[in-house]
Amino acid sequence: MADVARLAGVSSQTVSRVSNGYAGVNEETRQQVLAAMKELGYRPNSAARALKRGEFRTIGVITFTLSTTGNVRTLEAIATSAAEEGYAVTLLPVAVPTQDEVRGAFSRLEELAVDAVIVIMEVHLLDAATVKLPPHVQVVVVDSDAGSHYTVVDTDQAGGTRTAVQHLLDLGHSTVWHLAGPEGSFAAQRRADAWRGALTEAGRPAPPVVRGDWSAESGYHAGLELAAREDCTAVFAANDQMALGLLRALHERGRRVPEDVSVIGFDDIPEAGSFLPPLTTLHQDFAEVGRLCVRAVLRKMRRHDPEHGTTLVPTRLVVRESTAPPPERH
């Protein structure tokens, strides 16, 4: 730093301010310093800066899988929002969703230079007594039923589901069938519970749940079962990928969408408008979820907002061509 200061003709303090991105440095002076850094091959020592600042400016993200649309888009949003705040992201993948693996992931945080961690966890593990978080690490959780113990940011799963069910009932369907996500998934459970509750409140019978695993293939196999039910005129699929498989199964069995069966999904993936027919679905604002996660974890790091609780991001119904009134009965 002293060498850079001599070459640029400025003080070491000015070099420090430029290297740390602080304001208040004349632009001409800043360019002199940057030119001197480049000529001398100087790079700020991130470890030394971390010791001085007391932080590494890195956020850890723990997730089980990157195979689902929600996790990938949430991670992308977190990384983008963190970068805008001047933070990097370190990904800590967990091989299988077990308590031992979760404990191991948090143990690895002890060895990594991260200031805080965001956990993308859609299964019920954090509420288990055996899972302990490092007391000095600030934690925000995405997509988990752990609001009373942690700071949680999530999509409004229940509110979106109620909107989907009401849309189909308002079209005139007597009830709505549900193609649910896997057992053990928080999101799948929340959506299934809200689906059943919405039908109960409307005084409608709740048909048996048909379950998939979030994949289009599982939606196809479940769809073959639903296509055989003549009394099935409306289906709420817990995600768009399963809805895609359902559409294929209905087509193969000669059930027209939406003339015979209406289908609505959840996620609003970029391809949803290109399904045949274009899919009515619930739009999730993954960018807002990511932004709120980063904001929450930074507030906790800075001791501005240490309280626990859940922040829900609203969904938005996107009506396309896969839903319509039920067929007339003769």
Side-chain angles (χ1 to χ4, degrees):
M1 186 177 288
D3 293 339
V4 172
R6 280 192 294 271
L7 181 60
V10 299
S11 67
S12 294
Q13 182 181 9
T14 299
V15 175
S16 176
R17 293 183 67 82
V18 172
S19 66
N20 286 292
Y22 291 131
V25 179
N26 177 275
E27 184 58 30
E28 183 178 349
T29 301
R30 184 186 302 278
Q31 293 303 321
Q32 288 178 240
V33 172
L34 292 175
M37 288 180 177
K38 183 176 181 180
E39 182 175 338
L40 294 175
Y42 171 80
R43 289 181 176 81
N45 187 314
S46 58
R49 287 196 297 177
L51 287 172
K52 184 177 180 180
R53 289 177 170 178
E55 63 178 52
F56 298 97
R57 301 193 72 79
T58 300
I59 299 171
V61 177
I62 295 176
T63 185
F64 291 135
T65 177
L66 292 176
S67 64
T68 63
T69 297
N71 283 4
V72 171
R73 294 180 66 182
T74 300
L75 177 61
E76 178 185 29
I78 289 170
T80 299
S81 296
E84 290 173 353
E85 296 288 345
Y87 283 76
V89 166
T90 296
L91 180 63
L92 293 89
V94 174
V96 290
T98 66
Q99 294 173 15
D100 286 342
E101 287 286 341
V102 174
R103 282 197 300 270
F106 279 108
S107 295
R108 292 197 297 277
L109 289 176
E110 306 279 355
E111 307 165 10
L112 296 173
V114 300
D115 303 301
V117 63
I118 296 172
V119 186
I120 304 174
M121 183 178 295
E122 68 167 44
V123 294
H124 298 276
L125 287 178
L126 284 186
D127 45 0
T130 54
V131 176
K132 301 295 183 184
L133 308 188
H136 62 284
V137 178
Q138 299 297 336
V139 176
V140 170
V141 184
V142 186
D143 196 19
S144 177
D145 194 9
S148 61
H149 300 94
Y150 306 100
T151 299
V152 177
V153 178
D154 193 15
T155 295
D156 186 0
Q157 314 281 353
T161 297
R162 287 192 294 269
T163 299
V165 172
Q166 193 60 52
H167 171 67
L168 293 167
L169 295 180
D170 288 345
L171 286 172
H173 295 274
S174 59
T175 190
V176 178
W177 292 67
H178 183 38
L179 173 49
E183 291 186 279
S185 163
F186 165 73
Q189 177 184 322
R190 189 70 99 197
R191 294 171 197 181
D193 289 347
W195 159 79
R196 186 175 290 105
L199 289 178
T200 299
E201 289 176 13
R204 310 296 177 86
V209 171
V210 180
R211 197 170 293 276
D213 63 9
W214 298 130
S215 70
E217 182 179 4
S218 72
Y220 171 73
H221 292 296
L224 294 176
E225 179 181 341
L226 290 170
R229 300 292 307 244
E230 289 294 332
D231 56 341
C232 175
T233 66
V235 182
F236 164 52
N239 77 335
D240 290 349
Q241 292 290 347
M242 291 193 299
L244 175 60
L246 170 63
L247 290 175
R248 176 191 165 196
L250 292 170
H251 173 73
E252 290 184 358
R253 292 297 184 267
R255 302 292 301 279
R256 299 169 302 165
V257 177
E259 293 85 355
D260 300 321
V261 182
S262 287
V263 175
I264 188 167
F266 203 117
D267 281 341
D268 193 24
I269 62 176
E271 301 81 8
S274 298
F275 286 8
L276 189 62
L279 184 68
T280 297
T281 185
L282 274 303
H283 177 83
Q284 292 200 71
D285 192 344
F286 293 105
E288 180 68 0
V289 170
R291 187 186 71 81
L292 290 176
C293 284
V294 172
R295 188 183 76 172
V297 83
L298 292 181
R299 287 180 65 85
K300 288 170 71 70
M301 286 167 51
R302 296 160 185 168
R303 302 299 191 268
H304 293 162
D305 191 16
E307 298 85 3
H308 300 148
T310 298
T311 299
L312 294 179
V313 177
T315 60
R316 173 171 52 86
L317 179 66
V318 180
V319 179
R320 297 192 178 99
E321 297 170 27
S322 66
T323 53
E328 293 184 7
R329 299 298 182 188
H330 299 290

